Amino acid sequence: MLIWTDPQMLNWDDEEREYLLAEESEHWLLDELPAGVHTRPEGGKDSQIILMLWEYMNEPVVPVFPVPLDERYPEIVLRGLARMLPGMRSYFTRLPRPTIDGGYYIKTRENRPLIGRLPLEGLFLIGALSGFGIMAACGAGELLVAHVLKKPLPAYASPSNWNVIKIQFINVCLINGESPGSFN
Ligand SMILES: Cc1cc2nc3c(=O)[nH]c(=O)nc-3n(C[C@H](O)[C@H](O)[C@H](O)COP(=O)(O)OP(=O)(O)OC[C@H]3O[C@@H](n4cnc5c(N)ncnc54)[C@H](O)[C@@H]3O)c2cc1C
């Protein structure tokens, strides 16, 4: 996996820049975009496929399904990757036919997972695994088991326990103008 961890401005030529300037809805493509464009090979060792991802739309949203897919996503991600892999520029004028798929990163403001015991006896939570859930799955599962079996918790457990979950919940309620009700 190759990840570019700096924010960046995409490289547009004069003609493209003029076009984007003429379209108000496209102005954001001239702005600085967030860090995080990444790529990795996809499929077996002889595969010619790569996975390209970039969470440049990173404002909190209410998920809708099916996930609305942006037809421009492949080109935007390719241009973002070209910062790290200049050879990608050769595809700018002959974009390979992409398969576009996507989903939502479910995350907390701190981008820490929520793992732990809930106030209702027998109820546990493991979630908010953001864009790292596959990589963190084993560790997250192990931590949840420690909560379930009431084993001593590792030092890194506290940021994701109930008090944090509760604060998150209250924040979301307040943001949505809803009463969080009383719970402790
Ligand atoms: C496009 C994309 C690329 C990603 N790439 C990576 C990567 O390269 N590496 C990495 O580590 N992580 C990656 N992630 C993040 C990773 O996929 C998530 O963090 C992880 O899947 C979260 O696991 P989860 O079990 O919390 O939720 P999910 O994997 O979403 O699982 C939730 C499950 O609950 C089911 N469900 C929903 N509602 C109900 C219901 N009412 N009753 C019963 N079942 C229900 C759903 O069908 C689903 O199977 C990526 C995520 C996305 C969206």
Side-chain angles (χ1 to χ4, degrees):
M1 171 91 76
L2 292 172
I3 307 181
W4 186 255
T5 55
D6 290 335
Q8 61 167 300
M9 311 270 285
L10 294 179
N11 245 337
W12 303 103
D13 66 26
D14 294 346
E15 196 187 331
E16 291 160 340
R17 186 170 294 282
E18 209 179 304
Y19 166 79
L20 295 171
L21 279 169
E23 301 285 332
E24 180 128 8
S25 62
E26 309 293 85
H27 283 183
W28 64 275
L29 286 164
L30 297 166
D31 296 339
E32 185 177 76
L33 297 177
V37 62
H38 56 287
T39 186
R40 62 169 165 84
E42 178 70 5
K45 68 176 176 44
D46 303 321
S47 165
Q48 294 293 307
I49 301 171
I50 61 164
L51 196 72
M52 311 188 311
L53 289 128
W54 192 7
E55 187 208 353
Y56 52 75
M57 292 282 186
N58 55 6
E59 290 303 315
V61 293
V62 176
V64 288
F65 294 94
V67 181
L69 296 177
D70 178 353
E71 296 300 322
R72 295 163 303 174
Y73 183 77
E75 180 182 350
I76 297 169
V77 181
L78 188 72
R79 285 174 178 271
L81 280 176
R83 174 73 51 153
M84 175 169 54
L85 306 162
M88 287 292 191
R89 290 203 187 99
S90 63
Y91 293 107
F92 284 9
T93 50
R94 50 188 187 90
L95 226 61
R97 194 155 38 80
T99 303
I100 312 177
D101 191 2
Y104 296 96
Y105 287 170
I106 308 302
K107 56 200 294 190
T108 57
R109 284 184 187 285
E110 300 76 13
N111 207 20
R112 286 202 191 108
L114 297 173
I115 302 168
R117 178 179 295 278
L118 293 177
L120 286 181
E121 187 56 34
L123 198 60
F124 297 86
L125 174 67
I126 181 168
L129 289 156
S130 186
F132 50 78
I134 301 168
M135 296 178 278
C138 301
E142 206 173 77
L143 178 55
L144 186 72
V145 167
H147 280 285
V148 173
L149 300 180
K150 297 190 175 155
K151 285 189 168 177
L153 296 176
Y156 59 79
S158 59
S160 56
N161 69 14
W162 169 240
N163 289 325
V164 175
I165 299 169
K166 189 163 64 176
I167 293 162
Q168 297 290 341
F169 179 72
I170 293 171
N171 279 343
V172 170
C173 289
L174 295 174
I175 289 164
N176 294 341
E178 292 155 10
S179 152
S182 63
F183 63 98
N184 49 30

